[in-house]
Amino acid sequence: MEAVIHKVGQIGVPVKDLKRAITFYQEKLRLNLLFQTDNMAFFECNGLRLLLDLPENEAFEHPSSVIYFQVADIQKAHQEMADQDVSFISEPHLIARMGRTETWMAFFTDTEGNTHALMSEFDV
């Protein structure tokens, strides 16, 4: 049976202050702002679209799921983002070894209290 879902097309991230969140995702994460409305902003991340939105009602007012941003060099990305005052919860650290592949992560928060992570996978 063929899969119905082919890929993740968009991830929604609830925010409290849209202007502040746009600045964080644009300047700190260096994502490309596609367009925005009064209560939403859309960013492009290598084929995946991130939607920042002011929740329509209380049911949607909660921190989002963790978004794992893949980077080539996690130590370098961590340092560059830390230099931009991104608030990291953890330093880059090894999460798993699968055969010759290591998976490293470093968790951070955005300006809206959402937890996200940098991730890097490479062969050793």
Side-chain angles (χ1 to χ4, degrees):
M1 178 185 285
E2 185 177 329
V4 176
I5 298 172
H6 297 281
K7 70 176 188 172
V8 174
Q10 177 172 294
I11 296 173
V13 179
V15 300
K16 297 174 185 117
D17 182 323
L18 186 62
K19 184 177 178 181
R20 178 178 66 193
I22 288 171
T23 299
F24 179 85
Y25 282 77
Q26 203 169 21
E27 294 179 9
K28 309 293 185 184
L29 301 185
R30 298 184 196 156
L31 295 179
N32 182 36
L33 177 64
L34 296 172
F35 61 95
Q36 70 183 80
T37 67
D38 289 341
N39 61 346
M40 295 182 285
F42 295 84
F43 287 86
E44 195 277 328
C45 184
N46 197 28
L48 177 68
R49 194 167 56 207
L50 296 181
L51 159 64
L52 306 182
D53 71 317
L54 294 168
E56 294 177 28
N57 59 55
E58 285 185 26
F60 298 106
E61 288 181 3
H62 57 80
S64 73
S65 299
V66 177
I67 300 173
Y68 295 84
F69 294 97
Q70 193 159 11
V71 297
D73 183 336
I74 195 165
Q75 299 292 344
K76 181 179 178 188
H78 172 267
Q79 186 61 57
E80 287 178 5
M81 289 173 62
D83 289 347
Q84 290 289 317
D85 297 322
V86 172
S87 180
F88 278 88
I89 299 167
S90 68
E91 299 288 319
H93 60 283
L94 178 65
I95 295 290
R97 259 191 205 103
M98 295 168 282
R100 295 176 39 110
T101 303
E102 288 188 354
T103 302
W104 285 68
M105 293 184 189
F107 293 87
F108 64 92
T109 56
D110 69 9
T111 55
E112 308 308 298
N114 298 298
T115 298
H116 301 307
L118 299 178
M119 72 175 285
S120 186
E121 294 181 314
F122 51 89
D123 291 334
V124 290

